[in-house]
Amino acid sequence: MKQRTLTILKPDTVTHHNCGAVIARLEQEGFEIRAARMVWLSKEQAEVFYAVHKDKPFYRPLVEFMTSGPVWVLALEREDAIEYLRKVMGATDSAKAAPGTIRQQFGTNIERNAIHGSDSPDNARTELAFFFSTSDLA
Ligand code: UDP
Ligand code: MG
């Protein structure tokens, strides 16, 4: 089933000039880009986006990192997009991510891991709506 998911190319990917390489990889993997935008998240936006983690010890540093510079947000479409993106991204910790995954190739550690991907259909819907209006996604 064709699905849409949200990805974020995190500030480390922008800083390291890896956006082109990551997007090329995503296109090679069969994802269609349906919408894309560069955004410098406010503290409030990052807090809301990662609210599920608000009681975790990594929450404050994560918000700090995600607001340290601009990011690219993209709406991606593909067969089984949500699960497939998570597979191509690799494990959360870039230092432990499997060879050939985006996080292994472009990330640094468990925080600076290059890319975000929605983890469920419900979250994909919420996260796409967080950044894109329905007309962007038509
Ligand atoms: N993160 C972190 N330390 C941790 C776990 C996560 O800094 O111990 C950061 C990391 O950038 C991760 C984000 O918080 O991508 C969200 O965490 P989650 O567990 O949802 O991982 P993901 O779904 O991104 O793999
Ligand atoms: Mg997550």
Side-chain angles (χ1 to χ4, degrees):
M1 188 194 41
K2 279 230 173 175
Q3 281 181 331
R4 285 178 182 183
T5 191
L6 179 89
T7 191
I8 304 178
L9 309 187
K10 295 187 178 185
D12 56 332
T13 298
V14 178
T15 303
H16 296 143
H17 307 116
N18 285 330
C19 292
V22 173
I23 289 170
R25 172 70 190 276
L26 293 171
E27 290 190 314
Q28 280 155 18
E29 295 288 352
F31 288 100
E32 297 276 350
I33 300 168
R34 290 289 171 215
R37 198 152 63 81
M38 189 176 231
V39 33
W40 194 326
L41 294 173
S42 68
K43 184 165 153 284
E44 291 69 26
Q45 281 177 306
E47 285 172 351
V48 172
F49 188 82
Y50 281 114
V52 65
H53 295 306
K54 67 176 179 331
D55 298 323
K56 309 265 178 61
F58 61 82
Y59 181 66
R60 293 301 353 154
L62 173 62
V63 167
E64 185 80 13
F65 164 55
M66 289 302 293
T67 58
S68 65
V71 301
W72 279 95
V73 292
L74 296 90
L76 300 177
E77 187 173 287
R78 190 193 185 281
E79 196 73 15
D80 290 325
I82 298 164
E83 203 183 314
Y84 193 78
L85 177 62
R86 296 289 304 191
K87 195 177 116 189
V88 170
M89 280 164 47
T92 304
D93 187 350
S94 280
K96 294 180 182 156
T101 61
I102 293 173
R103 282 172 161 173
Q104 181 272 326
Q105 193 177 353
F106 298 105
T108 304
N109 55 36
I110 197 167
E111 176 183 79
R112 290 162 196 262
N113 57 8
I115 187 168
H116 168 87
S118 308
D119 65 0
S120 70
D122 272 359
N123 287 339
R125 231 180 331 268
T126 310
E127 293 179 1
L128 286 164
F130 189 87
F131 288 110
F132 298 107
S133 64
T134 17
S135 59
D136 290 333
L137 293 168

